[in-house]
Amino acid sequence: MPPQAALALTEDRRRSTGESHQALCALLRDTGGQPLRIPAARHPEQAQMETAVFLACCKIGGLSAHPLGIVQVRPGEDQLALRLANEPYIVRYWAEFLLPRLNDYDEFSDPQDRIIGVPGLRYRRERGGICLYRPGTPASILLTGFTPHWWDRVVDRLTDYDLLQSKPDWTPEERAAYAAAAASPCDPPSIYSPLLRRIRATAGPGPINSTDAWHAVGGDVRLETTDGPPCPDLIRLLGDGPTGLGWEVDHKGCTCLCDHTHSDVGCTIDFREPTTGRFVYYSNTKWGRTLGDGRCDRIAEMNRAAFT
């Protein structure tokens, strides 16, 4: 196959996952000359875990060029590998937001409110990174891109959180929180798991990218970027492109093709997921942030504080 043709067949997947063309070339043999697709999670438990991880970590905000601190996604049917930015503060955020602990407030009635973090999540050191898993399930996510010792140092300093990592199995509170989440229509794995596997599609060309998501009324989804990609790119990568999800554009308010700059005007796209009928209401607020000295100093400060 000519090199240019091969590049075209991996282009959209590379843009959505951050994988290199060289790493994907071996997979082209089985595509029959078609663009390389992005596999979905094989097991429901894998999709549910990816959903919980995505919703927890998209709250970290954005000082990095990489949404959620994710530089690259390597999607497999049975495991998801995520390469994080090689920054201590990113590792600190991930450990702090993901590892489960009991909520001290007893007045919460919803079982999901009894757990902070991802219910049932545990980790182990593996060659190449940190493996997140849930005991008794086939679900796992491999975190790479940083020195694994950083993760251990961060966890050692989260002693005030009384983490459930030491429990070899799920606690009753975790099982109750998991069951409540699985029964809820608010956070559908059919939407969030594919989004995590394509998280690089939400990154814009600027030096800072933040992606957030939360549920809207009726089981629909809100998706927001602060400095996201041009709308035509996102529509192709999540919608009608060869590696897309088939999301249909129901309505769009786009300023991407303006011939002048509006710093206070963003873009909106109402996607409809055709198999469930759910809407994903997307907005790109177009903050236009830059990585000035103040932000660089802030990152350096957070890196210093990551192990304290």
Side-chain angles (χ1 to χ4, degrees):
M1 181 183 299
Q4 288 302 116
L7 279 169
L9 295 180
T10 65
E11 179 180 2
D12 278 5
R13 175 158 168 172
R14 285 185 282 116
R15 177 64 180 83
S16 295
T17 67
E19 296 169 285
S20 70
H21 175 69
Q22 289 78 9
L24 295 173
C25 278
L27 302 178
L28 290 175
R29 292 193 295 256
D30 301 323
T31 66
Q34 298 299 311
L36 194 60
R37 302 191 64 81
I38 298 173
R42 184 197 307 271
H43 301 287
E45 293 91 346
Q46 180 71 31
Q48 289 165 358
M49 180 173 163
E50 291 174 13
T51 295
V53 166
F54 175 72
L55 290 173
C57 284
C58 68
K59 309 306 179 189
I60 69 175
L63 289 176
S64 168
H66 312 291
L68 283 66
I70 299 173
V71 176
Q72 184 186 93
V73 179
R74 194 165 68 248
E77 292 182 344
D78 299 316
Q79 187 184 63
L80 184 66
L82 303 175
R83 179 158 67 88
L84 303 185
N86 190 27
E87 299 272 11
Y89 82 94
I90 296 289
V91 177
R92 171 74 182 237
Y93 275 138
W94 273 69
E96 189 171 351
F97 282 32
L98 288 181
L99 297 179
R101 59 192 185 273
L102 290 176
N103 196 331
D104 293 333
Y105 296 99
D106 295 330
E107 65 266 25
F108 290 128
S109 58
D110 190 325
Q112 295 182 77
D113 292 331
R114 291 287 292 126
I115 297 294
I116 300 173
V118 176
L121 192 74
R122 304 292 187 266
Y123 77 88
R124 59 177 176 259
R125 287 275 296 269
E126 285 190 358
R127 185 174 182 179
I130 300 294
C131 180
L132 308 176
Y133 68 98
R134 278 172 157 166
T137 78
S140 67
I141 295 176
L142 182 66
L143 303 182
T144 69
F146 57 92
T147 302
H149 182 56
W150 287 1
W151 185 274
D152 295 331
R153 290 180 63 189
V154 165
V155 172
D156 287 345
R157 283 154 180 79
L158 297 179
T159 53
D160 291 344
Y161 287 178
D162 196 18
L163 299 176
L164 299 175
Q165 168 66 23
S166 61
K167 308 292 185 182
D169 203 351
W170 299 61
T171 65
E173 294 87 353
E174 288 178 295
R175 290 195 182 279
Y178 174 85
S184 172
C186 293
D187 300 323
S190 61
I191 288 178
Y192 289 116
S193 172
L195 269 177
L196 180 58
R197 288 171 171 250
R198 294 163 173 80
I199 191 63
R200 298 295 312 176
T202 67
I208 303 175
N209 282 284
S210 179
T211 299
D212 196 359
W214 61 96
H215 65 260
V217 176
D220 296 322
V221 170
R222 292 281 181 182
L223 176 65
E224 180 182 277
T225 59
T226 54
D227 299 274
C231 288
D233 291 350
L234 191 72
I235 290 171
R236 186 183 78 254
L237 295 172
L238 298 183
D240 54 10
T243 64
L245 296 168
W247 290 2
E248 301 166 351
V249 176
D250 184 77
H251 182 266
K252 180 175 69 166
C254 178
T255 63
C256 288
L257 301 181
C258 279
D259 58 1
H260 55 286
T261 299
H262 296 284
S263 60
D264 59 342
V265 176
C267 295
T268 60
I269 307 172
D270 296 345
F271 288 106
R272 181 178 177 274
E273 202 283 304
T275 60
T276 64
R278 296 178 190 266
F279 282 91
V280 179
Y281 300 110
Y282 168 75
S283 60
N284 177 6
T285 55
K286 292 191 171 182
W287 286 4
R289 295 176 298 173
T290 60
L291 197 60
D293 290 341
R295 293 190 183 276
C296 291
D297 292 343
R298 174 63 177 148
I299 291 173
E301 177 186 342
M302 290 191 299
N303 281 336
R304 287 192 296 269
F307 303 127
T308 62

